[in-house]
Amino acid sequence: MEYKRNFSGANFWLALSLIALGVLFLLDNMDIIDIGSVWQYWPVILIAIGVTRFTSSNYRERSSATFMIGIGVIFLLLNLDFLDWHTIWQFWPVILILIGLSIIYGRSRRPAETIAESSALSDDHVDAVAIFGGNERIITSQNFQGGSTTAIFGGTKLHFGRTKLSPGDNVLEVLTMFGGVELLIPDDWNVIIKCMPIFGGCEDSRRKLTAEEIAKNKNLVIKGLVLFGGIHIKSA
């Protein structure tokens, strides 16, 4: 049996960067070369991954790519002594500002008819936000088309046991920072995970089904940023 491996985008550059770092450290440990001050430029890896993610997604992955580039730039400036931690700490409220802007931007990208539909009693699109608290929703839509969920220093729990997916790719955008998102999803849903975890993770612990048992032409695409948090997918 032949397996196809497809490396592209951020994953390719991450793998290449890790290999390069491994080789450099190995040669340094064997006293073949002295990497010396080269290590202070390691944040360039984060910047490269962010730029690649930005371009390879046709500029759709703005939030996670910008965050990755920003973190890389900050650490690079710290390593080069252009900034210090005390100065950075004074500007920590900027994080809250950026989070607020990302939430507003995410809502503004939704078409006007979709916003009107959601403001009525329809839950074909979910919009769940939990900041310093919890948010639990039971989704009963028979034509679910995605939406967004945000958990910051809090947790969100979404139940999809009584939900039916709309045909095609239905995108659920997730932003979790120091929080968690729990998704209760039927086993026969085809879930595609495209999250960027940074000191976090995304786990699908549902019962594994065969390809014949999984619903065809109906996908739930989970994408977004997981920072110091987690996304846990369980069986509904």
Side-chain angles (χ1 to χ4, degrees), residues 18-176:
L18 291 175
I19 293 171
L21 282 176
V23 171
L24 286 174
F25 280 117
L26 180 62
L27 295 177
D28 183 62
N29 290 343
M30 298 175 64
D31 295 325
I32 297 177
I33 64 171
D34 182 12
I35 61 175
S37 60
V38 173
W39 175 241
Q40 67 181 341
Y41 293 98
W42 70 265
V44 173
I45 298 173
L46 299 179
I47 298 173
I49 294 173
V51 171
T52 304
R53 187 175 182 85
F54 194 65
T55 56
S56 64
S57 65
N58 292 325
Y59 307 99
R60 291 190 298 269
E61 298 293 331
R62 295 192 181 110
S63 298
S64 58
T66 302
F67 181 84
M68 182 69 76
I69 295 171
I71 291 295
V73 170
I74 289 174
F75 275 106
L76 183 61
L77 294 176
L78 284 168
N79 290 348
L80 297 177
D81 296 326
F82 287 105
L83 286 178
D84 56 69
W85 285 110
H86 176 70
T87 302
I88 292 177
W89 181 246
Q90 291 179 321
F91 292 94
W92 72 264
V94 174
I95 297 176
L96 300 180
I97 297 173
L98 293 176
I99 291 172
L101 290 174
S102 67
I103 294 173
I104 294 173
Y105 175 73
R107 292 181 63 88
S108 65
R109 285 187 301 170
R110 191 180 302 174
E113 62 271 16
T114 300
I115 296 176
E117 180 180 292
S118 296
S119 61
L121 297 179
S122 171
D123 60 354
D124 290 347
H125 293 84
V126 66
D127 187 0
V129 178
I131 300 177
F132 293 102
N135 193 343
E136 185 170 357
R137 299 274 189 90
I138 298 176
I139 314 299
T140 58
S141 170
Q142 300 303 293
N143 189 40
F144 185 69
Q145 300 173 24
S148 64
T149 178
T150 301
I152 302 172
F153 291 100
T156 300
K157 188 174 185 178
L158 302 180
H159 300 258
F160 292 100
R162 289 184 273 170
T163 311
K164 293 188 182 301
L165 279 175
S166 174
D169 289 344
N170 304 284
V171 178
L172 179 64
E173 297 183 357
V174 178
L175 171 62
T176 173

